[in-house]
Amino acid sequence: MNLNYSSRRMTAGSARRSAALAAVAVASIAVLTACGTTSGSAGPTTAADEVGAGEGQVSILAWPGYVEDGSNDPTVDWVTAFEEDTGCEVTSKTYGTSDEAFSLMKTGEYDVIAASGDASLRLVAAGDVAPVNTDLIPNYDGIYDFLKMQSWNSVDGKSYGIPHGYGANLLMYNTDVVSPAPTSWDVVFDKSSPYAGKITAYDSPIYIADAAVYLMTHQPELGIENPYALDETQLAAAVDLLKGQRANVGEYWSDYLKEIQAFETGDSVVGTTWQVIQNSVTTGNTAVVLPDEGATGWSDTWMIGSEAKNPNCAYEWLNYIASPEANAQATEYFGEAPSNEAACEFRTEGSCEAFNAGDEEFASKLWYWSTPIEKCLDGRTDVTCTDYSQWTAAWSEIKG
């Protein structure tokens, strides 16, 4: 199917973001619970010490829009240059949900996967991905430091992948209706919000983390240190907040094409969004803000399969896709900030500014998606945290 640049990017983005927040399979949660940790003890614990001659091929599993070879759009192709430079022929498969990706990686048929934060820790815990020796990836040096060695791409001091792109879940509002301009998430979480009925919220259990970010500021006595590490009391507080919000929500969205339409028609006037959505609204009466409380966000990771049949070409791919030129093409096409600092030199003028690329202060206010597990991600050992299966059950209760 051939699509123009704009519609293709939105198709990929809408499928990917909806999928990234789909309910986590019970089996996946069981893996994390059984491990009791994300040490990756079920798989290899050491990374490669050298990159040898390429095997002539590499198999990649990725979100739509991440491995483009010109077959979807002849003007969009960063795979061919890789094949010509390395001699590694790329075969790729796209997936629609993180659960699907998790299952596919268990087959051992894929050398490389592009994983979101709601899948990466599961892959490590199940032993399906291997540690990555970043010394063998020259372009790793160019990646923003604030994306390196984070909880969603490293475990026990070991890197499990290379950051790709990142973005924030921002607050969008109709400038004709919402006044004064909001600076807090209270416009969507306050029960007495004047915009009741025209508030929109993200339709996923992971949205509980957005409520937790709000509570970190407004109910500090709860002691929330990480919105993905909630004990039962903290989860209950977030659920109560979201139940109170439910009456004011006009629409929950997961397909961002529908959110664009809702803001253009005026059915929605304020709610959670992505920068690419605001960029796509045609009515010219919307703005976005990163609220004072901060926000959730995403940062994707390129990882190598623990059973990779072509590990040398896999390392070649991780180095190539982290290069300024390739990282620029892939992240701009998809609609997110690049991970390589020099990538902005190869993107359309103003593109990096639109996505706050490289703004470390901006990035420091984001809590990137991570899979909630029983082992508290905030380091607490005196309590058991709630896992994603509990969040899924809570979300069903919130939605009614």
Side-chain angles (χ1 to χ4, degrees):
M1 178 171 57
N2 292 320
L3 300 171
N4 62 40
Y5 174 85
S6 177
S7 64
R8 177 65 181 84
R9 180 180 65 179
M10 290 196 295
T11 299
S14 114
R16 180 251 189 278
R17 290 296 157 218
S18 300
L21 297 180
V24 173
V26 173
S28 304
I29 291 298
V31 168
L32 289 167
T33 302
C35 289
T37 178
T38 53
S39 65
S41 58
T45 58
T46 58
D49 55 12
E50 65 178 1
V51 177
E55 299 86 358
Q57 60 187 358
V58 63
S59 179
I60 302 174
L61 186 63
W63 293 109
Y66 271 25
V67 186
E68 292 297 313
D69 61 3
S71 58
N72 286 316
D73 183 334
T75 67
V76 181
D77 179 5
W78 50 86
V79 169
T80 299
F82 167 77
E83 294 175 326
E84 293 174 346
D85 290 347
T86 65
C88 300
E89 183 177 350
V90 172
T91 58
S92 65
K93 179 179 178 61
T94 59
Y95 57 82
T97 71
S98 286
D99 289 343
E100 181 185 359
F102 182 82
S103 296
L104 288 169
M105 278 302 289
K106 298 193 77 63
T107 67
E109 297 178 5
Y110 303 95
D111 302 308
V112 175
I113 180 173
S116 294
D118 65 332
S120 54
L121 292 184
R122 285 190 280 161
L123 292 166
V124 173
D128 294 329
V129 292
V132 170
N133 185 346
T134 57
D135 291 339
L136 302 180
I137 302 174
N139 285 314
Y140 186 74
D141 289 342
I143 291 175
Y144 295 120
D145 287 339
F146 59 81
L147 296 177
K148 296 177 179 178
M149 299 301 292
Q150 300 297 328
S151 63
W152 60 89
N153 58 28
S154 68
V155 175
D156 295 340
K158 298 175 184 177
S159 173
Y160 274 83
I162 305 302
H164 177 68
Y166 68 97
N169 296 314
L170 300 167
L171 178 65
M172 181 161 67
Y173 61 97
N174 183 316
T175 55
D176 294 334
V177 178
V178 180
S179 181
T183 60
S184 167
W185 288 108
D186 58 7
V187 292
V188 299
F189 286 124
D190 190 333
K191 291 182 180 180
S192 61
S193 173
Y195 311 110
K198 294 195 172 184
I199 293 172
T200 186
Y202 206 42
D203 191 3
S204 168
I206 206 70
Y207 185 64
I208 292 171
D210 292 60
V213 169
Y214 182 78
L215 292 173
M216 289 169 72
T217 296
H218 296 275
Q219 292 188 35
E221 65 276 11
L222 289 168
I224 300 174
E225 298 292 336
N226 181 317
Y228 306 102
L230 305 181
D231 58 36
E232 291 187 0
T233 299
Q234 294 165 340
L235 177 63
V239 170
D240 285 344
L241 178 63
L242 291 168
K243 284 182 176 179
Q245 182 198 44
R246 178 69 183 91
N248 288 346
V249 172
E251 180 180 31
Y252 289 96
W253 66 276
S254 58
D255 180 343
Y256 73 49
L257 294 174
K258 292 183 178 179
E259 187 183 28
I260 291 171
Q261 182 181 27
F263 269 84
E264 289 180 342
T265 61
D267 290 339
S268 294
V269 299
V270 66
T272 308
T273 197
W274 306 317
Q275 183 65 60
V276 67
I277 296 178
Q278 198 265 334
N279 292 349
S280 303
V281 174
T282 62
T283 49
N285 62 344
T286 61
V288 294
V289 62
L290 177 65
D292 293 339
E293 299 92 348
T296 59
W298 73 87
S299 175
D300 290 344
T301 304
W302 289 103
M303 311 178 86
I304 295 179
S306 57
E307 298 182 22
K309 299 178 178 64
N310 305 291
N312 296 319
C313 280
Y315 265 89
E316 293 281 10
W317 174 262
L318 262 62
N319 185 54
Y320 172 77
I321 199 64
S323 68
E325 298 90 338
N327 188 242
Q329 292 179 75
T331 56
E332 181 168 6
Y333 178 68
F334 184 78
E336 59 192 338
S339 62
N340 191 304
E341 185 172 8
C344 292
E345 299 175 16
F346 300 92
R347 287 178 50 145
T348 303
E349 184 177 357
S351 169
C352 277
E353 291 79 2
F355 290 93
N356 298 282
D359 187 337
E360 191 164 354
E361 181 180 358
F362 180 90
S364 70
K365 298 177 181 179
L366 305 183
W367 291 92
Y368 298 101
W369 288 334
S370 294
T371 307
I373 58 176
E374 286 188 2
K375 181 181 179 181
C376 297
L377 297 175
D378 59 7
R380 285 181 294 169
T381 58
D382 58 336
V383 297
T384 298
C385 278
T386 53
D387 64 25
Y388 209 96
S389 65
Q390 291 171 276
W391 286 37
T392 300
W395 187 245
S396 297
E397 183 182 339
I398 292 163
K399 293 284 294 294

